[in-house]
Amino acid sequence: MSTSPEITNSVILSTEMFIALSPILLLSFGIVLSLLLIAWRRSQKMIALFTQFILVITLLLTIHLLSGDILVGSGTQITTLLNVDRFSYLSFVLICISAFVVVSLSRSVLKSEVEVHDEYYLLILLVVLGAGILVVSDHFASLFLGFEVLSISLVGLVGYFREHEHAVETGFKYLILSATASSFMLLGIAFIYSQTGNLSFAVSSNVMPWSAQPLQIFNSVGILLLFSGIAFKLSLAPFHFWSPDIYQGSPTPITLLMATVSKVAMFTVLIKCCFSQNYFNNESFIEIITVVALLSMLVGNILALKQQNIKRLMAYSSIAHFGYLLIVLTVSSLQNTEFAWQGALFYLSAYLLANIAIFTVLLISEKHRDNMSGDRDIHIVDWHGMFWKNRLSAVLVIFSVLALAGIPLTMGFVGKFYLLNQAVIFKSWWLISGLVIGSGIGLAYYLPLIFALFKDEKTLENQVVDGSGVYLVTTGKQLFMFTLLISSLLFGIFPDLVSQFIYR
Amino acid sequence: MMLTFVILGLLLSGSLAWYSDDKPFFGVRFQAKWVALVAVIIFSLIFVFSVYLSPLNFQTLQTIAHVSWINSLNINYTLALDHLSITLIMLTLFLALICILVSWDEIQEKSGFYYFNLLATFAGIIGVFSAVDMFLFFFFWEVMLLPMTALIAIWGHEKRYFAAIKFFIFTQVSSLLMLVAIIAMAYIHQQQVGDLSFSYQDWLSLELNNELALYLMLGFFIAFAVKLPSVPFHSWLPDAHTQAPTAGSVLLAGVLLKTGAYGLIRFVIQLFPQASENFAPIAVTLGVVSILYGAKMAFAQTDFKRLVAYSSISHMGFVMLALFSFNEIAYQGVIVTIVAHGLSSAALFSLAGMIYQRIHSRNLTDMGGFWQSAPRMGGFGLAFAAAAFGLPGLANFVGEFLSLVGAYQVFPVMVILAAFGLIGSAIYGMVLFQKTFQGSSLKTVPDLSCRELIVSSSLLMLLVILGLYPNLLLQYFRGVIL
Amino acid sequence: MTDIPLAHVLILSSLLFTIGFVGVVVRKNTLFMLMSLEVMLNAVGVAFIGAGSVWQEADGQIMFMLILTLAAAEVAVGLALLIRMQRRYRTLDIDVLSKMKG
Amino acid sequence: MNLLASLPLYPLLSFLVLISFGKRLSWAVASWLSVGAMGLSALCSMLLVAQLSTSEVNVITSHLWQWFSVGSAKVNVSFYLDALSAVMILVVTGVGFLIHLFAAIYMKSDENFTRFMAYMNLFIVAMLVLVLADNLVLLYLGWEGVGLCSFLLIGFWYQEKNNVLAARKAFIVTRIGDTAMAIGLFLLFKSLSSLNIVEINQLAQTSETFSLSIANNEASDAYWAALLLLGGAVGKSAQLPLQTWLPDAMAGPTPVSALIHAATMVTAGVYLIARMNGVFIMAPEVMTYVAWLGAITLLLAGVAALAQTDIKRVLAYSTMSQIGYMMLALGAGAWSAGVFHLMTHAFFKALLFLTAGAVILALHHQQNLFKMGGLLKKLPFESALFFIGLACLVALPGTSGFFSKEAIIASLWLSPTAGASLWWCAILGALLTSIYSCRLFFLAFLGEQRFPKDLVISDHLETNHLLRGALVVLALLSLFGGLFTIDLSTVLPLSNESELSPGWLHAVAIITPFIGIAFSWFYFKRYRSRDIISLNESQSSWLVFCRNGLGFDVIYRFLLVKPYCFITQLNRRDLFDQLIMLSAWYVEIWRDVLSASQNGRLRWFAGTFGLSLVGLILVVIL
């Protein structure tokens, strides 16, 4: 239910604003076109190709806008709701890339079904649209709108394959919990609105009207509730309970979608909201951030320790990673928000790359096992000896796991280095020790995962993968995996390639 | 430039060895181990000649390569050499030869990947010894760990995964502390001098207040104390040694422990002279405790490799004691001990490997009386055990004697306690030698093959030469005032 | 303009919200969970209306309009899932849906 | 390469040849090589001594290369020959050559003969380096080398368990002494900042800080340095605290006991104290400790020798007591008397051991005295030689033992650091010596034949002229050794015989051996009477206590060995490792708790939402 702004008179939307917003407009136009396409001819291949086409066009347009000079400085304000600046469109680039990957991966998953799944692609486009709105939002209403578009379409996607045993359970859990979270967030927004009187992120101190005296308690509780809603979506520590089950229950491409698109969007909007409202000099907010960050670093890593199911393991590791990312928020003054943004974006791109790689290999081994009957989830034991059977995917997994663990030679390390830079500058010693202990515990489950690839016990007790174990991987997939490997290595050793693109 | 050439060359030849493992190549069945051997020989010759011929005076740090890497944080790829790193790199290259020869026919399956990991570790270690930009140092410090952990995890013995994980986590967590210290130092440099810099030479000129300097020094000290296993952080070493393949433990004991000592010399003593001066009493007690504790634990072991591992902890205790006594004689003792311990522990571990290949067990109880059937191995075993407990005439004695004489000037009581370590080392040296070679002979064991003979005799020859003429090494370290 | 102090409105909406929340946590039947979700959303609506009236702006009411649409969308999807659950598990008890553990 | 540098070279070369070729060499070639090398070095040492006596500066040095430098002090591999080391090299190479000759024949039947001779040569090299070293570090090298060779030779027949244990015990006990000496070295370097022996002796006298007793504690550097050097000497020469290893060292072949545990190695401690007299003079209290130590060891060893049943252990304890005499002499300041006794003792103790070896071989490895008896008739030649040895041991007038022991006893009465009481100990020791020698002689040679009649005496030792020649030379040396008046005045400080000690001292000293002989003639009548066939040693608890070395072994095992083993076994699994594993286990517990919280129930998830909100509010408020 996207509202297309062209109908209102043009004074609100000048051409320059129109250009600035063009990627998101193009996206929504694309959704409408795909609806028409479904109405015209229902063919699985057509809709998939069209969605990929739309995403590529949006991506190219955003990159063109970025390389241009429209988005310099604090960015253009489009109506009070949206504010487009460099960093939001940089994260939108990340979102489009991962959405494109999700769409191309799910083409092979959907092929095995019998009826046509065009609404699957539509929902993915809606998720991307929601993320797009979130990324550029500057107002609580647009935040709320983006949040809801994202969550509702994800609910549809999460329980997509009806005959999977956990489909209903996952759908229901996600629906109820995201509804609760959004209502908590709304309550928070209501409280903040009642105190400050304005819903937009831009700080304006209009005076309290005559009767009500300012109730400071509601303002800070409001901020807390707002943060809890966002924290739910980022699956940070105290609100992380939903993510393992949903990650495990939903189909793999959708898990990837959730792990990348929704989290990147939510984190960008969290940074935008914090920096524009300069919450960072609000002392209690920093305290909450530190507590939540520490909790998620420890809980995320500890929970993953003996986890055998790879999807749940990825869920826990993403909890931990967003715990690390929260360090970015503990900025001490306005002018080094620039540096915080760079650190966050670099770390997010490293995290994305690693997740995409692991989920691609996960999908391949799942597809291989599907035609072997039994659709049980992939466990670490299924990946035994993969290094000796198909080397490329094993090397890819090794490097992405190392990136997640933050070992040099990979992009993850440079990301962690930036975070540490941030933490050391602002002397947040608690977060540093949390980071050190967290990555120490993290190694205790990343390393067994890597060693499992090398184990080639001849006697596989639960014979899941057949003797040969050599997956037949289409050349397209191999090429894709090869590019992923090369890019993760290249960006790891020469991080300047990425950062000079961010730092302009 | 030649150093980068050596490092990259080792990596490339490792991948060549991996790629060309038993593939027919112009008719001859190419073997990874030959590729590795030839590569190491070539690169060590290149290194030796280029150092020998280079006009630079290596008394102080001479930068070899300087290329900008991450210019947003002013990090650049700078390598530098001085006498200390040259000696250690030469020790590494020599032990590289020994590792390849030792694992000649021990590694049968997946040997291509094995030699890749081996050469990659050597490249990482040479990088560690020569990196001067702290970020690059940390980069090599971690890169060196990956192939080493792979070596332990894939070709190790029964409990290899646990040992590999423990080894990795120990070093990783402690080096993260070092990373925090590095970043903090970089920012202090920014505050004091204006621009952000990670290069070691710039940091030498910083002056820090005492309390901050102590914390920073501790950050570095813990990372190197874990690597040079001093007592509280040593428990990864016995596990890593017992489970690693022979070449792995030769490499681990011979060189990886030396990176800890090198780090202490370069980045703790010279970077924070004042802070380490008032930290010295604690560090010296740590050193003495690890000498006595290592000797005591070594005596209690029944596993050959575990015993030798604990003995290296004891030997490294001498290094810690001598380093923190800030005495010029002790510093020379440290240099000789480092090289001597590198050779003698590498020798003992290759001996352990030879015995393991013959009786497929490391347990001292099922050894005994090998002197009867393998007199030459017995002779070498005696010489290496003698080196371990510091028999004069072999290199370890010179190192220990100089360290203790130097340290005595500053900490007399501590040195007397450390001297009990000499008795302790004699006891475990006896236990090690007598349980394997003397006593009633249970099994007959074939004597040394010619390959093993080359390995042992080259090691012994070096130990004797260094023992009787240590000036070969010490002339470079005259008058180096810490 | 009946001058109901802002605090009262906020406290009312918080109370209503907690009632809805407790409803979600305690009720075993999925239908009632959806209903208590509605209660929570409406409580937030009240808060917005109250805040809007204090600041003499229409923002609060616009937000309430948005919340209504949201509530409608959620209930629609919720009921669809409800029907699927009824057909699959023959019961509406929420604890049936807790197979994924650990 | 002048003569002095070549002295240790010959045995070293023969050692290298023997080791590298090992079993491929036949007996003849190996024995010729080793004995020949020894002969060459003996000849060379005689030439050197002759050269020394003619040269006016009475010191010969030869510098090989600079080993390393400790700060400003240069530690180099160079040899230094003066009167004292001349005596020592004569003893080492002379007696060593004769023992090598005997060993070549004695060990003929052993299959790793070459390894044995190689070790013997290596031992001689190490001993020569020890004696000729011009600085303490080179001396320490010789010192440890000698310790290693004694370990190898004691544990030569390493198949039996107790040989292995004896070798280990010898090495570790001497190693304790060596560590004490090493610490002494460090102290000497710290206070005198030089390691060269001659410099140290001069500096010790001149530098005032060295002997100045520091105000608070009265012990001065000299006191500690001397005490530590004494610790080293005590370890090597098997004196009181560290003497338990010598009796067990008899597990090695007899030539080894002769060479190492009688003539050369055990005297290294005496040599060290004599050589470092400069330091000891500056610490008179330590000199008295040395004297008292020597006296007590003297008495203990004498008592223990009385109760032994094995012929070699008797000789071992007698060596210990004779070295006690030397220590007593050095403690009393009679430096040259001590060294003189060292020389004569080397001759007759080597003679005693070799003849005992011949007797043991003749009786097919029978070492128990109570299984011998009546050998005078069976082995007249050996018994005569044994009698000569015992005569010198007991110091009957005219024998070399008499001259050296009298010199020591005479100088005790008046010496400042020793006194009358020590003189009486020396006399009592002489008495004990004569008693156990007679007991030994009666048991072994007089009395009834207690070994089985049909035992044919293996005679291949008898007919060997070379062997007999060697023994005869040794006998002559021990009889007339006393006549060589070695003039050590240039090296060692003169002891004060100036004022005369009371006349009757001399008489008492001469009579005591005869009193002892007379007493044992009647007391041990049973042993020498012809008609008693079976004799077995009495098992009275007191005698068994003495036989096991007066309980020192038991004490040490109880005080040191057991607790050390207990502690190591207690902490086998490495306390620190447990701590780390504890933290890993703690994380494990948290993992189980948290994964239980993931119970998959939707209502629980919603509930945690509210709970965590309340928690965070509390955090904000606190």
Side-chain angles (χ1 to χ4, degrees), chain D residues 493-506:
Chain D
L494 286 165
S495 70
N496 41 42
E497 301 101 350
S498 54
E499 62 283 354
L500 267 169
S501 51
W504 58 272
L505 282 183
H506 208 55

Short mmCIF file of all heavy atoms in Angstrom, two decimals, chain D residues 493-506:
data_model
loop_
_atom_site.label_atom_id
_atom_site.label_comp_id
_atom_site.label_asym_id
_atom_site.label_seq_id
_atom_site.Cartn_x
_atom_site.Cartn_y
_atom_site.Cartn_z
N PRO D 493 100.35 -21.01 49.47
CA PRO D 493 100.95 -20.29 50.62
C PRO D 493 101.57 -21.29 51.59
O PRO D 493 101.10 -22.41 51.72
CB PRO D 493 99.76 -19.57 51.26
CG PRO D 493 98.55 -20.26 50.74
CD PRO D 493 98.90 -20.83 49.40
N LEU D 494 102.65 -20.89 52.22
CA LEU D 494 103.37 -21.80 53.13
C LEU D 494 102.60 -21.93 54.43
O LEU D 494 102.09 -20.95 54.96
CB LEU D 494 104.77 -21.23 53.40
CG LEU D 494 105.71 -21.42 52.18
CD1 LEU D 494 106.94 -20.55 52.34
CD2 LEU D 494 106.06 -22.91 52.12
N SER D 495 102.49 -23.18 54.87
CA SER D 495 101.84 -23.33 56.21
C SER D 495 102.93 -23.13 57.26
O SER D 495 104.13 -23.21 56.97
CB SER D 495 101.27 -24.74 56.33
OG SER D 495 102.40 -25.61 56.43
N ASN D 496 102.56 -22.85 58.47
CA ASN D 496 103.48 -22.35 59.51
C ASN D 496 104.08 -23.49 60.33
O ASN D 496 103.66 -23.77 61.44
CB ASN D 496 102.68 -21.45 60.45
CG ASN D 496 101.33 -22.14 60.67
OD1 ASN D 496 101.27 -23.35 60.85
ND2 ASN D 496 100.26 -21.37 60.53
N GLU D 497 105.05 -24.19 59.68
CA GLU D 497 105.69 -25.21 60.55
C GLU D 497 106.79 -24.57 61.39
O GLU D 497 107.57 -25.27 62.01
CB GLU D 497 106.33 -26.33 59.70
CG GLU D 497 105.37 -27.07 58.79
CD GLU D 497 105.53 -26.54 57.37
OE1 GLU D 497 106.24 -25.48 57.24
OE2 GLU D 497 104.99 -27.11 56.42
N SER D 498 106.84 -23.26 61.34
CA SER D 498 108.04 -22.64 61.97
C SER D 498 108.14 -23.10 63.42
O SER D 498 109.05 -23.83 63.81
CB SER D 498 107.88 -21.10 61.93
OG SER D 498 106.61 -20.83 62.56
N GLU D 499 107.06 -22.75 64.25
CA GLU D 499 107.32 -23.14 65.66
C GLU D 499 106.99 -24.63 65.82
O GLU D 499 106.12 -25.15 65.12
CB GLU D 499 106.47 -22.28 66.60
CG GLU D 499 104.99 -22.36 66.48
CD GLU D 499 104.47 -21.57 65.27
OE1 GLU D 499 105.25 -20.86 64.58
OE2 GLU D 499 103.28 -21.73 64.94
N LEU D 500 107.72 -25.27 66.66
CA LEU D 500 107.66 -26.73 66.78
C LEU D 500 106.44 -27.16 67.58
O LEU D 500 106.15 -26.58 68.62
CB LEU D 500 108.93 -27.25 67.44
CG LEU D 500 109.98 -27.63 66.36
CD1 LEU D 500 111.34 -27.88 67.01
CD2 LEU D 500 109.47 -28.90 65.67
N SER D 501 105.74 -28.13 67.11
CA SER D 501 104.64 -28.67 67.94
C SER D 501 105.30 -29.63 68.95
O SER D 501 106.41 -30.09 68.74
CB SER D 501 103.68 -29.41 67.02
OG SER D 501 104.47 -30.30 66.23
N PRO D 502 104.56 -29.89 70.05
CA PRO D 502 105.15 -30.70 71.15
C PRO D 502 105.67 -32.04 70.62
O PRO D 502 105.10 -32.61 69.69
CB PRO D 502 104.00 -30.91 72.13
CG PRO D 502 102.82 -30.26 71.53
CD PRO D 502 103.20 -29.47 70.36
N GLY D 503 106.71 -32.54 71.19
CA GLY D 503 107.45 -33.72 70.73
C GLY D 503 106.56 -34.94 70.66
O GLY D 503 106.57 -35.67 69.67
N TRP D 504 105.69 -35.14 71.69
CA TRP D 504 105.03 -36.45 71.78
C TRP D 504 104.04 -36.65 70.67
O TRP D 504 103.65 -37.77 70.35
CB TRP D 504 104.34 -36.58 73.14
CG TRP D 504 103.32 -35.48 73.40
CD1 TRP D 504 103.56 -34.28 73.94
CD2 TRP D 504 101.91 -35.51 73.07
NE1 TRP D 504 102.43 -33.52 74.01
CE2 TRP D 504 101.40 -34.24 73.48
CE3 TRP D 504 101.07 -36.45 72.48
CZ2 TRP D 504 100.05 -33.91 73.31
CZ3 TRP D 504 99.74 -36.10 72.32
CH2 TRP D 504 99.22 -34.84 72.73
N LEU D 505 103.68 -35.53 69.96
CA LEU D 505 102.67 -35.70 68.89
C LEU D 505 103.17 -36.74 67.89
O LEU D 505 102.48 -37.67 67.52
CB LEU D 505 102.50 -34.34 68.16
CG LEU D 505 101.65 -33.27 68.85
CD1 LEU D 505 101.55 -32.05 67.94
CD2 LEU D 505 100.28 -33.81 69.15
N HIS D 506 104.42 -36.52 67.47
CA HIS D 506 104.98 -37.35 66.41
C HIS D 506 104.93 -38.83 66.79
O HIS D 506 104.49 -39.67 66.03
CB HIS D 506 106.44 -36.89 66.17
CG HIS D 506 106.88 -37.14 64.75
ND1 HIS D 506 106.18 -36.67 63.64
CD2 HIS D 506 107.89 -37.88 64.26
CE1 HIS D 506 106.77 -37.08 62.52
NE2 HIS D 506 107.82 -37.82 62.88
#
